[in-house]
Amino acid sequence: MPIGTINEAGVEGKTVLLRLDLNSPIDPTSSTILDDKRFREHVPTVQALAQSRVVILTHQSRPGKKDFTTLEAHAEKLAQLISRPVKYVDDIFGQCARESVRALKPGEVLMLENIRFNAEENLTLKPEEAAKTHLVKKISAMGDIFVNDAFGTAHRSQPTMVGLPMVMRSVAGLLMEKEVFTLSRVLQAAPRPVTFVLGGTKVDDSIEVAKHVLNDGIADRVIAIGVVANVFLLAMGYDIGKPSTQLISQLKYEPEVVKARELLKMFEDRILVPDWVAVREEGKRVEYPVSAIPGEMPVLDVGMDSIAAFSAELKNSGTVVFNGPAGVFEEKDFATGTYELLKSASRVEFSVVGGGHTAVVIEKMGIEKDFTHISTGGGACIEFLTGKKLPAVEALERSREIFG
């Protein structure tokens, strides 16, 4: 069952409860928002509801974190981006919130207080249980329709994400729709050959993705870079040096080495790992074959020969899914692998980036427009690519069955 969309929901003149993910880097001392990327991604959905009374439900961080704060600055930032006032109330479903919602006219936007200030929103619940929470009962009574645009939180089974669709007509916002459509295309109808580039430090997620896309014939090739590559090299019996081996131990990734070994047995010809790597030697970038990595030096990037080989592989691909950097991209000497491979990935017919650090690098390089899609949800994107149903997406599908 597909998810419903704004276009088919008839939202004009209605009071729309709009769930966004505006969780952003913040300066805890001044509450200044340091990066408004997530705000910008949601603007088209807010603009599409210009004839509705819009009530925004969103969150910032979570209890116990330094940046867990009120949303006054978020309302101001969104108002700047949509060129319309965004009212803010420091209430979630109390009398102040209810009266403010009732007073809304079509075209007006109201942002309620940080939804995670309510303890129930921090629980992980099944949709049926979430529907019974005070939070869902009280909030659903304030609106006519629920629009979920918070793809970055779609892997969380929290009351607003999975409970509201059980009690009221619910559809996807434009961002949620775009994410689900594009990532579904990766899994079902991507131009071939399909190459997944998996890097960074989240090795357990990357191994899960590799296993799913190779087992199900979704990917023709998987290229391992970053710490993911080091885990595969260990699984192949290479000595990757003391610092890199210790890092894998610190991250508790020894079980992933075993999983990598099993994947190599089944798909050795379809998993590509670097033949050359770069280390820091006397303050400079020096390259070694993987069979001769110095014992006391950490692996910090892919070597130039392997960058060239991987770039050629990407050039011949119809689809590239890129998640995670190739090395310590923050240092100029060790950013080469990440930058060059991203340039190659940006030139293919269908290119998808899994958000997170990779999206930051792309923005820095100024090549965002060269990619087909850059996901706004790192964790949600990865979970989607492992073949798991995201709780919020499943809830929207069920809502369509219940309410049409």
Side-chain angles (χ1 to χ4, degrees):
M1 183 84 182
I3 54 178
T5 63
I6 288 176
N7 291 337
E8 61 191 38
V11 293
E12 202 169 313
K14 299 274 178 68
T15 300
V16 174
L17 303 177
L18 174 61
R19 182 64 162 97
L20 304 181
D21 184 348
L22 299 180
N23 187 22
S24 302
I26 270 188
D27 178 348
T29 53
S30 63
S31 291
T32 306
I33 292 158
L34 302 173
D35 181 0
D36 64 3
K37 182 172 170 51
R38 287 197 163 177
F39 288 77
R40 286 182 273 121
E41 296 285 356
H42 285 302
V43 165
T45 299
V46 179
Q47 302 290 37
L49 298 169
Q51 304 305 313
S52 308
R53 302 174 180 88
V54 178
V55 181
I56 293 173
L57 319 172
T58 187
H59 69 278
Q60 171 63 39
S61 192
R62 58 179 185 268
K65 297 273 187 176
K66 284 181 183 172
D67 57 349
F68 187 51
T69 184
T70 64
L71 299 182
E72 200 164 358
H74 294 65
E76 287 171 12
K77 174 62 71 179
L78 186 62
Q80 288 166 17
L81 292 169
I82 64 170
S83 303
R84 276 192 285 154
V86 175
K87 298 174 187 176
Y88 156 77
V89 288
D90 59 350
D91 188 16
I92 296 172
F93 55 65
Q95 188 177 347
C96 180
R98 293 197 303 273
E99 286 176 0
S100 298
V101 171
R102 273 198 296 269
L104 280 178
K105 297 180 177 67
E108 292 185 335
V109 183
L110 170 74
M111 187 178 291
L112 300 179
E113 185 52 284
N114 188 339
I115 202 81
R116 288 186 180 171
F117 277 14
N118 183 279
E120 286 182 318
E121 181 66 3
N122 300 293
L123 299 172
T124 298
L125 300 171
K126 288 181 177 158
E128 291 76 15
E129 295 167 336
K132 294 173 188 167
T133 59
H134 294 291
L135 180 63
V136 165
K137 286 177 183 172
K138 296 278 190 182
I139 283 186
S140 61
M142 295 195 291
D144 302 314
I145 190 164
F146 176 54
V147 174
N148 193 346
D149 207 35
F151 180 77
T153 319
H155 57 315
R156 308 273 181 218
S157 195
Q158 293 170 331
T160 59
M161 300 298 292
V162 300
L164 286 171
M166 296 301 102
V167 298
M168 63 195 302
R169 185 158 192 225
S170 303
V171 298
L174 300 183
L175 177 64
M176 178 75 82
E177 185 187 350
K178 182 174 79 166
E179 291 272 12
V180 172
F181 174 80
T182 309
L183 296 176
S184 297
R185 189 181 167 204
V186 169
L187 300 179
Q188 291 156 16
R192 302 202 86 101
V194 176
T195 303
F196 273 65
V197 183
L198 302 174
T201 57
K202 290 187 177 174
V203 177
D204 46 354
D205 290 340
S206 292
I207 297 277
E208 276 296 302
V209 171
K211 184 178 174 184
H212 175 63
V213 298
L214 289 167
N215 266 330
D216 284 28
I218 293 159
D220 298 286
R221 291 271 187 284
V222 167
I223 295 175
I225 54 177
V227 182
V228 181
N230 287 347
V231 165
F232 274 103
L233 289 169
L234 268 184
M236 294 164 79
Y238 287 106
D239 181 353
I240 60 170
K242 196 174 165 187
S244 298
T245 306
Q246 281 178 339
L247 177 64
I248 287 164
S249 291
Q250 282 165 15
L251 296 170
K252 296 184 169 57
Y253 282 150
E254 288 95 340
E256 305 309 318
V257 177
V258 178
K259 290 178 191 172
R261 198 172 289 129
E262 288 165 7
L263 276 179
L264 285 162
K265 274 182 201 167
M266 291 186 282
F267 305 107
E268 193 172 10
D269 58 329
R270 289 165 62 192
I271 298 171
L272 307 181
V273 297
D275 290 326
W276 284 78
V277 294
V279 302
R280 187 189 286 110
E281 200 170 282
E282 294 178 4
K284 292 180 183 168
R285 177 187 175 107
V286 181
E287 299 194 2
Y288 286 92
V290 293
S291 56
I293 297 170
E296 297 303 317
M297 292 168 193
V299 173
L300 300 176
D301 196 11
V302 176
M304 294 305 295
D305 281 12
S306 293
I307 292 169
F310 292 165
S311 292
E313 194 70 42
L314 297 180
K315 192 179 173 185
N316 293 324
S317 300
T319 298
V320 173
V321 179
F322 204 115
N323 192 72
V328 185
F329 65 89
E330 299 89 346
E331 292 185 41
K332 193 181 174 189
D333 279 356
F334 302 102
T336 313
T338 304
Y339 279 55
E340 291 303 318
L341 294 177
L342 280 170
K343 278 183 206 164
S344 298
S346 72
R347 297 183 186 119
V348 305
E349 182 187 343
F350 184 46
S351 51
V352 175
V353 176
H357 282 123
T358 322
V360 174
V361 179
I362 289 166
E363 199 158 348
K364 195 176 170 187
M365 292 169 73
I367 57 170
E368 303 104 304
K369 288 183 171 59
D370 297 336
F371 287 88
T372 310
H373 182 66
I374 299 171
S375 183
T376 54
C381 174
I382 284 291
E383 202 155 306
F384 198 106
L385 294 173
T386 60
K388 293 173 189 160
K389 267 279 172 87
L390 299 183
V393 175
E394 196 166 21
L396 287 175
E397 290 172 353
R398 288 181 61 188
S399 189
R400 194 174 189 186
E401 281 177 27
I402 299 165
F403 298 100

